[in-house]
Amino acid sequence: MPKYIFVTGGVVSSVGKGTVAASVGRILSVRGLRVSFIKIDPYVNVDAGTLNPYSHGEVFVTDDGGETDLDLGWYERFLDIKTSRMHNITTGQVYSEVIARERRGDYLGQCVQIVPHVTDEIKRRVRLVGESGVDVVVVEIGGTAGDIEGQPFLEAVRQMRLEEGYDNTLFIHVALVPRLKSTGEFKTKALQHSVNELRRIGIQPDIIVARSEQKIDDSSKRKIALFGTLPESAVFCSYDVECVYEVPLILEEQGMGDYIVERLRIGNPRPEWGEWKRVVNLFKKTDKNVRIAVCGKYTKLTDAYVSVKEALIHAGVNLGARVEIGWVETEDIEKEPEKLRMLSEYDGILVPGGFGKRGTEGKIECIRYAREHDIPFLGICFGMQMAVIEFARNVCGIERACSTEIEPETPDPVIDLLPEQKMIDEKGGTMRLGALPIHIKEGTLAHRLYGSTLIYERHRHRYEINHNYWETLQRHGLVFSGLSPDGRRVEIIELPSRFYFLATQFHPEYLSRPNRPEPAYLGFVKAALDKRMGLEKFELPQLVV
Ligand code: GLN
């Protein structure tokens, strides 16, 4: 029978509940247990695909084309697993299902209610993952205790405690404990209130994780235990650490692993931390720095590019380098073009994915700067499309080249809607999504990086390089080094005349792991390091072990 661990949050959101959930998973997986995850997002959207990255951060794409919450990215990176759309449950999905059933007549004669119909559907979805051949499912409930939207989910997991039994369920409550700068005091009252909020609906946490800037003191810990009705050994602290992959280690050090396996009667297999510690040590061994400019439009909330950021960090540490990221707002460059010159301070320039017109001319200028000054460049999805526009305008002389996404009436749509998208009006879940095969041309930079002629990478786009311009672009030196198997979609472009100039229609960052950096990112960061050292040409990376 699978065990269920429910992770709730208190006081404020975005304090790293996802990291704690992923860390709990890692703590159990090093004990040989098969762990899976569910992220519950109580919003009414069916998925994260239509959410603004400014309020919710990046949309994480799974192999099966799910557009999901970014926490799934943390689960994948922490456990080196692959999740799918079934691992992200939202109110929208649950209600769509219940309403569809009602229309079909499945509940004929009944009044359809939140309890039991909606809660039953929530439990069914949670158990679907539990019954997929795993030992433990960590279920993270988004938002904070007391949110109106969260109530049916908390009610459902409260019922699961009764149905699955005490030994098979565990509640972990993660809440912020602020520290007052003036007195240095840790304040636990808000945490206490959030525990009360949970108890009001019948959930007594088994473990409390105090999330704080620094390790909380013993008296705060005692207070949390006393008011939370827990032994002190069930109170843990997740304090700020330099490297996020250290969080499982600091929780383990406080005894969390032993506490959980004992409480869930799992037996106590010895943890094998060897590989994970090796990864964390990589972060400490960095003896050089490399500066990367990420030129985008959501730079004020870097969670909007969290997988890009992590992929850069993974590439760096595996080369013994600490990546310093400069977030460049491309709209600012449009307003003050002289700001472009600050790009000379960077060793590499990355233009990430994006949508819509704002900041695009600035992105195109950043790419031009990278190409003309031969600064290593990596373009991702929209970044690749902008690179093609830049090349078409400034190398092929197609002055008004643009994307129909930005300028629907452009005379030269070098980037245009995918043909199969032309009939689609609905926005939710309709892009070209998920893992798809890519054929790589032999003898290209991409081939050297991936060491294969066939790869699978995750996509999320509606636009592509317009077939009518292929010949012109190639004649001027742009190489299409990756294509879809039918030869109709361009997946990777490169400029062999440059030190490192590569862009992908897919999103390589979703597959990057701390112990296994993604080749396009790894090559990019290596190029940035090498170019600064004055190397003549790009050489394939050797990883530090
Ligand atoms: N907006 C572009 C498209 O739909 C790029 C999408 C992206 O960068 N993910 O094709």
Side-chain angles (χ1 to χ4, degrees), residues 432 436-439 454 456 483-489 491:
R432 181 171 181 250
L436 296 164
I438 294 145
H439 282 181
L454 176 67
Y456 285 81
L483 296 177
S484 59
D486 63 5
R488 296 162 77 103
R489 312 268 94 90
E491 293 277 11

Side-chain angles (χ1 to χ4, degrees), residues 329-500:
E329 183 68 40
T330 55
E331 219 183 1
D332 293 349
I333 287 182
E334 290 170 9
K335 288 183 202 137
E336 294 169 70
E338 64 281 5
K339 279 201 167 154
L340 199 59
R341 275 206 306 272
M342 72 183 174
L343 288 180
S344 65
E345 291 160 26
Y346 291 95
D347 305 311
I349 293 174
L350 187 152
V351 177
F355 294 84
K357 191 178 171 80
R358 185 170 73 81
T360 49
E361 288 303 322
K363 288 180 188 175
I364 293 168
E365 280 312 301
C366 292
I367 298 168
R368 178 181 189 158
Y369 193 94
R371 186 179 55 76
E372 289 183 347
H373 294 79
D374 203 9
I375 299 176
F377 170 75
L378 180 63
I380 308 293
C381 202
F382 201 55
M384 175 182 111
Q385 298 171 0
M386 297 304 106
V388 170
I389 295 174
E390 192 279 319
F391 190 81
R393 287 184 190 172
N394 303 318
V395 179
C396 308
I398 311 172
E399 269 168 38
R400 294 186 56 194
C402 205
S403 162
T404 46
E405 177 176 3
I406 304 167
E407 213 188 305
E409 302 306 328
T410 174
D412 280 303
V414 290
I415 304 295
D416 197 11
L417 263 185
L418 288 155
E420 64 270 28
Q421 286 282 331
K422 297 208 164 142
M423 306 300 288
I424 298 175
D425 287 326
E426 283 195 8
K427 292 279 182 276
T430 55
M431 283 188 245
R432 181 171 181 250
L433 288 165
L436 296 164
I438 294 145
H439 282 181
I440 296 185
K441 246 182 239 158
E442 280 184 53
T444 58
L445 170 62
H447 186 234
R448 287 170 63 208
L449 289 168
Y450 285 95
S452 168
T453 52
L454 176 67
I455 58 167
Y456 285 81
E457 293 265 3
R458 298 180 188 171
H459 297 71
R460 182 171 186 251
H461 67 118
R462 278 185 221 286
Y463 293 82
E464 65 163 347
I465 305 181
N466 185 341
H467 205 272
N468 297 340
Y469 294 86
W470 280 27
E471 198 274 322
T472 314
L473 293 166
Q474 287 173 302
R475 186 158 34 81
H476 284 84
L478 194 66
V479 169
F480 298 167
S481 49
L483 296 177
S484 59
D486 63 5
R488 296 162 77 103
R489 312 268 94 90
V490 180
E491 293 277 11
I492 311 175
I493 61 166
E494 51 191 72
L495 267 182
S497 61
R498 306 287 102 175
F499 192 85
Y500 189 99

Side-chain angles (χ1 to χ4, degrees), residues 4 6 36-40 45-47 85-101 117-132 137 139 153 156-157 160:
Y4 295 94
F6 302 108
S36 193
F37 293 90
I38 295 175
K39 173 70 193 293
I40 289 177
N45 304 56
V46 170
D47 59 34
R85 61 174 82 233
M86 82 192 277
H87 298 263
N88 192 188
I89 303 175
T90 68
T91 296
Q93 289 165 20
V94 171
Y95 275 79
S96 304
E97 178 77 34
V98 171
I99 292 168
R101 265 191 223 140
H117 302 98
V118 167
T119 45
D120 280 354
E121 175 57 18
I122 295 169
K123 290 186 290 182
R124 186 186 72 81
R125 286 175 178 251
V126 171
R127 289 190 174 113
L128 226 49
V129 175
E131 284 150 17
S132 65
V137 188
V139 185
F153 293 99
V157 301
M160 281 189 75

Side-chain angles (χ1 to χ4, degrees), residues 170-185:
L170 180 104
F171 288 93
I172 301 182
H173 187 57
V174 184
L176 180 74
V177 173
R179 182 166 179 264
L180 292 187
K181 286 241 157 40
S182 52
T183 58
E185 239 184 316

